[in-house]
Amino acid sequence: MNKPSLKSVSKGFRRVLSVGAASAVALTLASSVYAADLRLKIAGTVPVDHEGTKMLKQIEKEIEAADVGLKVSVFPASQLGSGESLVEDTIRGNVDFVMAFIYSHKDPVLDIMSMPYLFTSWDDLENVMLNPESEYNKIINERLEKLGLKLFNHNPEGFVGVVANKKPEDYAGFGDKGMNIRVWSSAVVKDMAETLGYNTTTMAWGDMFPAMQSGIVDGTLCCTKQAAYTIFAKSNVGKYFVEYNAISEINSFYGSMKTWNKMNDEQKAVVKAAFDKASKQYFQFNKENDANFKQKLVESGYEVLSFTPEQEQALAARVREQVWPAMAEVVGQDTIDRLKKDFK
């Protein structure tokens, strides 16, 4: 038998190495081309002239200016769907990143984001909601990861109130308000509104404005003063704003894990930095301008119905007593107990 010479073996080995190296280079180039062609769709639900949309445009500019192979298209004002549908489309990877409220229709535990009188001040929002190590955020992260979503930041805009076409009866008490108002798809929000004396109709965000405009509902539990002004008052819809400080309006930055896993470390760092910066700026804007938007509502012809500290305490006590136990049956008492640790 003729044995191959050492020289021929060496040549064959070099050929194998060359083929392997070429394949590795080809894979690297293919990966680089793919990353360079990655276009991100970022969706939002607030109006085009809302401060939240300005933050999305800022994020677009900063990501593209970093020149890490990412292009961004922003779709504000529910152009890609309502908050409910965006959750589902982001899970599928049809939408890459979102600035919107995270509804609980895919996981009832996420209803803690609508838990009434959990947060009652801007300090609560800053110390708990914006703290990545809070139990509140740990719970939300755990639930979103199971859905295939990644949370970046919460963007609390303040506290939602009732926008109404007429003045609610006994607005500061618990009597029948003589009104049917829209609530979003949350059992706890429905329970709270009915505890306060309202009749309720569950309705998606996209249907809310025309329902108010046409008189299908008398009002809607939906909006901060900023949103009430930009969405309703500027369109001459509604006459009253009931200033409940029960539930924080949260438009969170979240994304699809399918998209996130496509990105390299440099791209991930750029995206996260853009979201972090926008979130901090947006919170400060909302905190500093809350009173300004209240004044703008008044100047537009709205009557703002507020409460004394004693009235607010009475409302909070009644809602916590009647609504929280029912909520524990849905999200689990262990979840409620974890949340309480943030407020000790």
Side-chain angles (χ1 to χ4, degrees):
M1 178 183 293
N2 294 325
K3 293 183 179 181
S5 67
L6 182 60
K7 185 175 181 180
S8 64
V9 170
S10 177
K11 286 182 178 178
F13 184 62
R14 284 197 298 271
R15 282 196 297 271
V16 171
L17 284 179
S18 297
V19 170
S23 298
V25 169
L27 287 172
T28 301
L29 288 173
S31 176
S32 298
V33 170
Y34 179 76
D37 293 337
L38 189 58
R39 176 168 287 278
L40 305 176
K41 291 192 291 186
I42 304 183
T45 55
V46 296
V48 172
D49 59 352
H50 190 280
E51 189 68 21
T53 299
K54 294 178 184 177
M55 289 294 100
L56 290 182
K57 298 302 290 183
Q58 174 181 303
I59 289 168
E60 175 187 10
K61 290 179 181 178
E62 293 192 355
I63 290 176
E64 292 192 344
D67 194 22
V68 292
L70 297 174
K71 298 296 181 181
V72 179
S73 296
V74 171
F75 300 89
S78 299
Q79 291 176 13
L80 297 185
S82 66
E84 292 94 337
S85 63
L86 286 175
V87 170
E88 298 181 22
D89 279 338
T90 309
I91 291 171
R92 298 188 188 102
N94 297 334
V95 175
D96 301 301
F97 299 104
V98 176
M99 180 183 181
F101 181 71
I102 302 172
Y103 289 88
S104 62
H105 60 301
K106 301 297 290 185
D107 183 347
V109 175
L110 292 173
D111 224 8
I112 64 172
M113 299 184 74
S114 300
M115 190 168 178
Y117 294 106
L118 177 64
F119 301 99
T120 58
S121 69
W122 285 95
D123 286 343
D124 286 345
L125 298 177
E126 188 165 12
N127 295 333
V128 177
M129 191 180 290
L130 300 188
N131 176 7
E133 298 303 317
S134 67
E135 289 297 319
Y136 176 84
N137 278 315
K138 288 178 182 178
I139 294 168
I140 293 172
N141 270 306
E142 291 164 9
R143 309 310 297 195
L144 290 182
E145 285 179 0
K146 291 181 180 180
L147 294 174
L149 298 173
K150 179 176 178 59
L151 177 69
F152 292 96
N153 314 84
H154 295 303
N155 301 299
E157 297 183 10
F159 294 90
V160 303
V162 170
V163 177
N165 287 326
K166 63 180 185 178
K167 188 173 183 177
E169 299 172 16
D170 188 31
Y171 83 88
F174 298 95
D176 187 346
K177 300 297 185 285
M179 290 178 59
N180 176 38
I181 65 169
R182 170 265 181 187
V183 295
W184 63 89
S185 54
S186 166
V188 67
V189 171
K190 180 179 176 66
D191 288 348
M192 183 199 79
E194 292 177 353
T195 297
L196 294 174
Y198 293 97
N199 294 321
T200 63
T201 298
T202 301
M203 190 179 294
W205 173 270
D207 299 325
M208 170 186 66
F209 185 85
M212 271 279 293
Q213 199 171 28
S214 63
I216 293 174
V217 293
D218 302 308
T220 176
L221 178 64
C222 69
C223 306
T224 62
K225 302 176 198 64
Q226 178 185 177
Y229 174 71
T230 57
I231 296 172
F232 291 96
K234 292 182 74 173
S235 300
N236 296 315
V237 176
K239 297 179 180 179
Y240 298 90
F241 182 82
V242 190
E243 194 178 14
Y244 292 110
N245 291 318
I247 301 172
S248 173
E249 179 71 50
I250 316 167
N251 276 309
S252 302
F253 289 140
Y254 68 93
S256 172
M257 286 303 301
K258 290 183 178 180
T259 300
W260 190 247
N261 291 334
K262 292 178 184 177
M263 297 163 60
N264 61 41
D265 290 343
E266 186 179 21
Q267 291 170 334
K268 290 177 179 179
V270 167
V271 169
K272 185 177 184 305
F275 282 134
D276 287 348
K277 179 180 176 181
S279 182
K280 290 176 183 177
Q281 291 180 345
Y282 192 44
F283 177 76
Q284 289 303 317
F285 173 87
N286 290 321
K287 183 177 180 180
E288 293 168 3
N289 285 278
D290 190 56
N292 294 337
F293 281 106
K294 181 176 181 177
Q295 182 60 33
K296 287 184 178 183
L297 277 173
V298 173
E299 292 171 355
S300 71
Y302 263 64
E303 182 178 349
V304 177
L305 305 175
S306 302
F307 306 94
T308 66
E310 293 75 20
Q311 288 171 332
E312 284 194 341
Q313 289 172 9
L315 292 171
R318 175 76 69 89
V319 169
R320 286 169 179 156
E321 178 185 357
Q322 294 193 8
V323 176
W324 282 22
M327 187 172 186
E329 295 178 9
V330 176
V331 306
Q333 186 59 49
D334 58 330
T335 298
I336 303 295
D337 292 339
R338 286 179 66 183
L339 290 171
K340 289 180 179 179
K341 293 178 183 178
D342 288 331
F343 298 91
K344 288 183 177 179

